[in-house]
Amino acid sequence: MIIMKKIALITSGGDAPGMNACIRAITKYCLNKKIKVIAFLDGYQGVIDNRYKALLLEDVDNIIHRGGTILGTSRSPEFKTKEGRVKAIEHLRKHEVDAFICIGGDGTFAGARVLSEEMNIPVIGIPGTIDNDIYGTDYTIGYGTALNTVVEAVDKIRDTASSHHRIFFVEVMGRDAGFIALNGAIASGADTALIPEEHTDVEELAKHLKQSAKGRRGTIVIVAEGDDAGGAKEIMQKVAPYLKGYSLRHSVLGHIQRGGAPSAFDRMLATQMGVFAVQLLEEGKRDLMVCFKNGRITSLDIQEAMKKKHIPKLSKLELLNQLQS
Ligand code: F6P
């Protein structure tokens, strides 16, 4: 068992609902064990600028239900430079931290890995992103909540789509990954999902929509923002010439998908992952990512997690097809 005195903590990259629950769990567990938590503000940028807060119990009281991150976040271009990292390492050394925990996505983990190499500090990554695009974990913190937000929004769009007999193209987040689009489509009863992992043939799509819109009150297509044929607006414009006489509309859900109170699942996931991250460090482990795999909280080499890609099960597209009329 390693006795630690101080750990550094950041949230980085796109915020995700449940990050606060994770910060709370880490802080409460550490303070119980007499480990100080130095939280740097606004991700890696706060480490470079030495903007920090030593977290106390009162800082993490009443935050489990709040979206966003109380620590702030950023995508720091300066940390990608050697000069930026020299400053960051100097500050971490000055604070005499024993380890570094970061909550975020693959960009965040890339930063942690470099830090571990250049400073020789134990790092642990906790996957927090609404995109769910991290290899090694079935779920990332925030993904479940974002899915619920998508379903709630699409339920509303369906009301107006069906009233006007329209085909609606709803754009959801996912620059590189189709998890939100695919599972959002299944959960909201959409007609189909267009995802970055699969090529979209516009002519085929138009043919399909013509067929499936027949006799239906409203048709919903969920489009991941990173689809190869474009976003919802672009795809709608591309299919329009093939769908003369049909009423087409699009809607971009945007950043509402990132906000809001975390679901019960995300709060549980975040709490378990946060405590587990500190326990790994106490066991003398380092350079790992915390995962939720097959119902268990476990860990994986952070470099391996970054090397591989987590892609949604394409059999789910087949499932959508099987439900089409
Ligand atoms: O958090 C991940 C993500 O939501 C992506 O799905 C999206 O493309 C991106 O962040 C948007 O980032 P930003 O808020 O920096 O524009």
Side-chain angles (χ1 to χ4, degrees):
M1 185 80 151
I2 303 281
I3 306 290
M4 292 186 292
K5 288 204 180 99
K6 228 185 247 180
I7 62 150
L9 173 65
I10 62 162
T11 49
S12 162
D15 62 306
M19 280 184 165
N20 284 328
C22 193
I23 295 165
R24 170 184 177 270
I26 291 170
T27 307
K28 288 194 133 196
Y29 182 85
C30 281
L31 294 182
N32 275 338
K33 296 260 182 153
K34 309 270 178 274
I35 304 168
K36 287 190 177 137
V37 180
I38 302 294
F40 287 92
L41 309 177
D42 304 331
Y44 287 105
Q45 197 55 47
V47 193
I48 295 170
D49 303 338
N50 199 25
R51 286 184 290 112
Y52 67 93
K53 178 158 191 13
L55 292 180
L56 303 173
L57 275 184
E58 58 253 39
D59 296 314
V60 297
D61 238 7
N62 288 317
I63 64 164
I64 195 165
H65 60 298
R66 281 172 56 189
T69 158
I70 59 159
L71 304 183
T73 185
S74 66
R75 306 185 200 270
S76 168
E78 200 182 344
F79 193 76
K80 294 198 178 105
T81 68
K82 185 81 188 154
E83 299 76 45
R85 290 199 299 278
V86 166
K87 285 189 210 158
I89 290 172
E90 189 191 314
H91 295 139
L92 288 168
R93 289 220 168 100
K94 204 169 95 195
H95 286 285
E96 298 182 325
V97 294
D98 300 300
F100 181 85
I101 298 181
C102 54
I103 313 169
D106 47 5
T108 305
F109 298 158
R113 203 190 51 77
V114 180
L115 206 55
S116 153
E117 235 171 66
E118 294 181 357
M119 184 184 167
N120 192 24
I121 184 174
V123 303
I124 302 287
I126 302 179
T129 160
I130 65 161
D131 291 344
N132 206 37
D133 58 345
I134 307 285
Y135 179 83
T137 189
D138 292 337
Y139 294 103
T140 56
I141 296 169
Y143 166 60
T145 305
L147 261 189
N148 288 339
T149 302
V150 167
V151 169
E152 211 182 308
V154 174
D155 284 349
K156 289 179 180 166
I157 289 173
R158 182 195 304 286
D159 288 343
T160 174
S162 61
S163 301
H164 287 264
H165 302 270
R166 277 177 172 154
I167 300 176
F168 249 92
F169 297 82
V170 182
E171 184 176 311
V172 298
M173 277 187 169
R175 217 172 359 212
D176 307 308
F179 286 96
I180 299 179
L182 188 50
N183 290 312
I186 292 172
S188 64
D191 183 74
T192 193
L194 308 178
I195 59 174
E197 293 83 358
E198 283 285 286
H199 170 63
T200 297
D201 181 324
V202 170
E203 215 177 313
E204 275 301 308
L205 174 66
K207 247 194 247 162
H208 160 74
L209 288 174
K210 220 177 220 176
Q211 188 58 33
S212 77
K214 259 189 209 147
R216 281 175 69 183
R217 297 181 60 86
T219 301
I220 310 272
V221 178
I222 309 281
V223 182
E225 63 179 330
D227 188 76
D228 67 346
K233 187 174 180 189
E234 204 180 333
I235 292 179
M236 181 187 75
Q237 286 165 343
K238 284 179 178 167
V239 293
Y242 302 97
L243 292 171
K244 295 234 163 69
Y246 289 80
S247 180
L248 312 180
R249 291 289 186 276
H250 83 283
S251 175
V252 179
L253 299 189
H255 286 76
I256 62 159
Q257 294 163 90
R258 284 235 295 257
S263 64
F265 178 81
D266 273 328
R267 296 180 201 198
M268 289 191 295
L269 184 69
T271 301
Q272 292 177 86
M273 283 185 161
V275 170
F276 192 70
V278 187
Q279 286 171 341
L280 287 172
L281 291 168
E282 287 182 312
E283 286 166 21
K285 306 218 170 105
R286 57 180 290 166
D287 305 348
L288 297 173
M289 181 190 87
V290 179
C291 321
F292 178 75
K293 196 82 200 150
N294 302 324
R296 281 184 54 233
I297 302 286
T298 169
S299 64
L300 178 73
D301 184 274
I302 202 163
Q303 208 152 342
E304 195 185 332
M306 283 168 46
K307 260 195 247 147
K308 298 185 183 159
K309 218 171 146 46
H310 187 202
I311 54 166
K313 289 196 172 62
L314 296 181
S315 58
K316 288 194 175 170
L317 268 181
E318 191 45 38
L319 174 70
L320 273 175
N321 287 337
Q322 285 159 349
L323 298 174
Q324 280 163 3
S325 41

